[in-house]
């Protein structure tokens, strides 16, 4: 879900200095914060909106029904 330096930052687990450097980078760069936030919002809207979730649910049910009738 997170693409490093596109819609957020990935940090190595347990590497506190890496986390600190990423936080400091965000605190010091307003434009970067805004860009990451905007990309994260677009990703969420595109992938988790009511419409996209409904389409995905219909697709899953459609595949299940198709599989049922093809295997019967």
């Amino acid at each position: 879900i997170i693409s490093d330096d596109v819609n957020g930052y990935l940090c190595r687990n347990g590497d506190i200095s890496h986390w600190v450097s990423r936080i400091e980078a965000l605190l010091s760069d307003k434009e970067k914060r805004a860009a990451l936030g905007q990309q994260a919002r677009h990703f969420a809207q595109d992938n988790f909106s009511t419409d996209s979730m409904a389409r995905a649910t219909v697709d899953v049910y459609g595949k299940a029904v198709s599989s049922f009738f093809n295997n019967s």
Side-chain angles (χ1 to χ4, degrees):
I1 292 178
I2 301 296
S3 296
D4 193 37
D5 206 30
V6 174
N7 60 359
Y9 285 139
L10 297 175
C11 295
R12 293 180 293 273
N13 190 27
D15 187 346
I16 302 302
S17 63
H18 189 233
W19 283 67
V20 168
S21 69
R22 293 297 185 126
I23 291 169
E24 288 174 339
L26 289 172
L27 289 172
S28 65
D29 190 342
K30 182 178 180 178
E31 290 175 1
K32 183 67 168 182
R33 282 194 316 267
L36 291 174
Q38 185 176 34
Q39 288 298 319
R41 181 178 177 95
H42 286 303
F43 180 85
Q45 288 174 329
D46 291 345
N47 293 282
F48 302 106
S49 69
T50 304
D51 289 341
S52 66
M53 297 300 285
R55 276 192 298 275
T57 301
V58 168
D59 287 345
V60 167
Y61 278 104
K63 289 175 184 175
V65 169
S66 177
S67 176
F68 176 79
F69 284 113
N70 288 334
N71 293 325
S72 296

